[in-house]
Amino acid sequence: MSSTTTLQKAGDPTGNPGDGQPSDGLKAGLKNRHLSMIAIGGVIGAGLFVGSGGGIAKAGPAILVSYALVGAMVVFVMRMLGEMAAASPNSGSFSAYADRALGRWAGFSIGWLYWFFWVVVLAVEATAGAVILEGWVPAVPQWAWALIVMAVLTVTNLGSVASYGEFEFWFAGIKVVAIGAFVVIGMLAVFGVLPGSDNPGAGFAHLTDTGGFMPNGWGSILTGVLMVVFSFMGSEIVTLAAGESEDPRRAVTKATNSVIWRIGIFYLGSIFIVLTLLPWNDQSIVDKGSYVAALDSIGIAHAGQIMNVIVLTAVLSCLNSGLYTASRMAFSLGERGDAPKAFAKVNKKGVPTAAILGSVVFGFVAVYFNYAFKDTVFSFLLNSSGAIALFVWLVICLTQLRMRKILVREAPEKLTVKMWLFPYLTWATAAMITFVLGYMVYDKDNRQVVLLSLLVAAVVLAIGVVRDMRRKAAARV
């Protein structure tokens, strides 16, 4: 049977066993509580804490619509991915599914692009964490802090998948508790019932009292979409991690079903609180950051340092998950013959050591480029990986269109999670993602990012197509 038109059988490197347990040497070391928190924390990145102020300044209260649009897009993409992952849990996730549904060239291309995205993120997040740590301990230079946090989390990932899960459980837990507390305390302050608060309690007046709900017009919503879309990257990590869990199908189903309220509370809920506590054009939102400005308006002492701790936690969480995700994608590519064979080997603990070290080495190199060639080499790496998140989501849409037909034909009993309004909502989501990419080309501030990302994607795609053609030619001989 061809891997592009049929489901893989048990024992095949790109398939999964019937009992839902890893068949590829990985150990089922993640507990259900780990997967639950990875699913919740995966949508809360450092970008939410440090990047939302810019979006508010551009779009005003209408940024809520931008978050809602991107949030809906992510919900739909996760539903599609959940459908495929529940039917066939796999450490390669969407790359492995693209491999089966669209062709080896597709799995190769999107797998390597995703790996590239995360190893660049490692450098970005390590530097962000180093900035905070240097502020606390200036005797240690920033570059040293970046290497230290990278090294610590590398050791964590090399230990066992359970070590990764435990660290992520607590990292994500801190983020969840912090945002939950922010929403509750903020809502009390909005209505002027928070004891000792300096906020006058304006209710929802700030949503419209400074130029209306859309002070900068309809176009600002699209600008806001471009500014917030990348803060959602990471929600798909749970489908990679599910392959190393005790009950992958249950974990994926639960994560997929809960993505709506997670985005609703953590993104829309917290940004809504910021916008009701302060006028959208308050300069402190840009100068201090939206969350710090909101906490200051309530009268919370040391708001800046509190938020630094939370942001550092988010950064470490992103680093931890980024290294895990990159290594598992490299492992899956190695299994399928699209990466060095060493990447597909695991140690006695079921950890793909070579895949982890290979990913972190590139991360260390990227950190070096960030300090030595920030405006040249690192700028290229950053810009050329910027739109890959959208490419991944688009490939998930196209893959699910084909995988649904394969599942219905060969294993309908595995369709325990289904995409809503198939295929219409899948096509609509793909169209929305394509529109966002097109608008990025139109927008001068994002044009370079999407064009460089397309350039890198074209190179990787060309390599994937050539490899696929050679593989088919060899098979005919």
Side-chain angles (χ1 to χ4, degrees), residues 468-477:
D468 201 20
M469 291 173 61
R470 288 182 176 177
R471 188 182 292 112
K472 290 178 180 177
R476 288 194 295 267
V477 175

Side-chain angles (χ1 to χ4, degrees), residues 64-135:
L64 289 170
V65 180
S66 303
Y67 273 105
L69 288 172
V70 179
M73 190 164 66
V74 172
V75 167
F76 298 150
V77 169
M78 280 298 294
R79 187 72 183 184
M80 297 176 221
L81 188 53
E83 175 181 297
M84 297 182 286
S88 180
N90 192 293
S91 60
S93 187
F94 50 83
S95 173
Y97 307 142
D99 195 309
R100 297 178 225 174
L102 303 178
R104 295 295 301 275
W105 59 270
F108 172 92
S109 302
I110 203 64
W112 276 113
L113 286 172
Y114 193 67
W115 178 87
F116 173 60
F117 171 84
W118 279 111
V119 292
V120 173
V121 166
L122 291 180
V124 174
E125 298 296 339
T127 304
V131 170
I132 296 174
L133 290 167
E134 185 188 32

Side-chain angles (χ1 to χ4, degrees), residues 146-168:
L147 295 181
I148 288 170
V149 295
M150 286 271 284
V152 169
L153 292 176
T154 299
V155 172
T156 299
N157 275 264
L158 286 172
S160 68
V161 69
S163 299
Y164 156 72
E166 200 63 32
F167 268 75
E168 192 57 26

Side-chain angles (χ1 to χ4, degrees), residues 385-466:
S385 64
I388 287 176
L390 291 167
F391 298 164
V392 168
W393 294 346
L394 185 59
V395 168
I396 289 172
C397 294
L398 300 178
T399 300
Q400 191 261 341
L401 287 167
R402 187 69 186 278
M403 279 294 288
R404 168 67 76 89
K405 296 177 181 178
I406 298 172
L407 284 166
V408 167
R409 183 176 69 243
E410 298 189 8
E413 72 283 356
K414 291 185 177 183
L415 275 171
T416 55
V417 176
K418 290 185 178 181
M419 176 58 183
W420 308 295
L421 298 176
F422 178 84
Y424 309 108
L425 198 50
T426 300
W427 279 116
T429 306
M432 183 177 179
I433 295 169
T434 304
F435 174 79
V436 172
L437 285 167
Y439 191 75
M440 287 180 71
V441 175
Y442 170 78
D443 184 79
K444 66 180 188 303
D445 293 331
N446 290 278
R447 187 176 299 137
Q448 185 183 40
V449 171
V450 72
L451 291 179
L452 285 177
S453 296
L454 282 170
L455 174 63
V456 171
V459 171
V460 176
L461 179 61
I463 295 172
V465 170
V466 170

Side-chain angles (χ1 to χ4, degrees), residues 281-422:
N281 58 354
D282 191 305
Q283 189 59 36
S284 65
I285 292 178
V286 175
D287 293 343
K288 298 179 181 179
S290 55
Y291 290 84
V292 173
L295 291 173
D296 278 344
S297 76
I298 296 173
I300 302 294
H302 310 296
Q305 286 304 319
I306 292 172
M307 193 52 59
N308 274 340
V309 172
I310 296 170
V311 171
L312 179 62
T313 302
V315 165
L316 294 176
S317 173
C318 190
L319 267 172
N320 194 38
S321 290
L323 182 52
Y324 171 84
T325 304
S327 66
R328 282 352 182 239
M329 186 58 72
F331 169 81
S332 178
L333 288 166
E335 273 200 313
R336 288 176 271 149
D338 291 331
K341 292 182 179 179
F343 284 2
K345 295 180 180 179
V346 299
N347 60 21
K348 294 180 180 179
K349 295 181 179 179
V351 175
T353 305
I356 292 174
L357 293 177
S359 300
V360 82
V361 164
F362 193 96
F364 277 123
V365 171
V367 169
Y368 168 74
F369 285 149
N370 192 17
Y371 289 102
F373 307 102
K374 184 178 181 65
D375 296 325
T376 52
V377 179
F378 187 74
S379 178
F380 172 79
L381 292 176
L382 193 60
N383 288 324
S384 62
S385 64
I388 287 176
L390 291 167
F391 298 164
V392 168
W393 294 346
L394 185 59
V395 168
I396 289 172
C397 294
L398 300 178
T399 300
Q400 191 261 341
L401 287 167
R402 187 69 186 278
M403 279 294 288
R404 168 67 76 89
K405 296 177 181 178
I406 298 172
L407 284 166
V408 167
R409 183 176 69 243
E410 298 189 8
E413 72 283 356
K414 291 185 177 183
L415 275 171
T416 55
V417 176
K418 290 185 178 181
M419 176 58 183
W420 308 295
L421 298 176
F422 178 84

